[in-house]
């Protein structure tokens, strides 16, 4: 093949590569949407886990304070109440 024929064939092949058929784009867009949904769900799960961990920590701190306050509590003597 001559150089001109090779150049002409290369031009034809490059034009074919530039043509994008909608059937070829659909799977790519579907994959993009699926990946976006998966990432969004992962973010929601991560945020929910952080909120639950924080809430559990606050609950444990509150319970610890309540139990320590209950352990230190004692009834007052009647003599102290009468004063």
């Amino acid at each position: 093949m001559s150089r001109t024929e090779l150049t002409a064939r290369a031009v034809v092949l490059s034009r074919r590569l530039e043509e994008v058929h909608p059937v070829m784009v659909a799977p790519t867009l579907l994959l993009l949407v699926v990946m976006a949904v998966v990432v969004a769900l992962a973010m929601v799960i991560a945020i929910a886990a952080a909120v639950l961990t924080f809430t559990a920590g606050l609950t444990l701190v509150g319970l610890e304070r309540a139990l320590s306050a209950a352990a230190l509590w004692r009834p007052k003597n009647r003599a102290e109440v009468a004063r």
Side-chain angles (χ1 to χ4, degrees):
M1 291 182 100
S2 70
R3 186 172 181 179
T4 337
E5 291 172 340
L6 285 174
T7 306
R9 187 162 170 84
V11 167
V12 169
L13 288 176
S14 70
R15 284 189 185 151
R16 281 187 187 168
L17 285 175
E18 288 175 1
E19 294 175 2
V20 178
H21 199 272
V23 175
M24 296 169 64
V25 174
T28 306
L29 291 178
L30 179 65
L31 182 63
L32 182 68
V33 168
V34 168
M35 288 177 64
V37 168
V38 167
V39 168
L41 285 175
M43 288 174 59
V44 167
I45 290 171
I47 291 171
V51 167
L52 287 174
T53 304
F54 184 72
T55 306
L58 286 180
T59 303
L60 287 175
V61 168
L63 282 173
E64 189 269 336
R65 287 182 181 175
L67 287 174
S68 63
L72 296 175
W73 181 84
R74 58 185 175 89
K76 295 182 179 179
N77 293 335
R78 289 187 182 181
E80 291 177 9
V81 174
R83 289 185 198 176

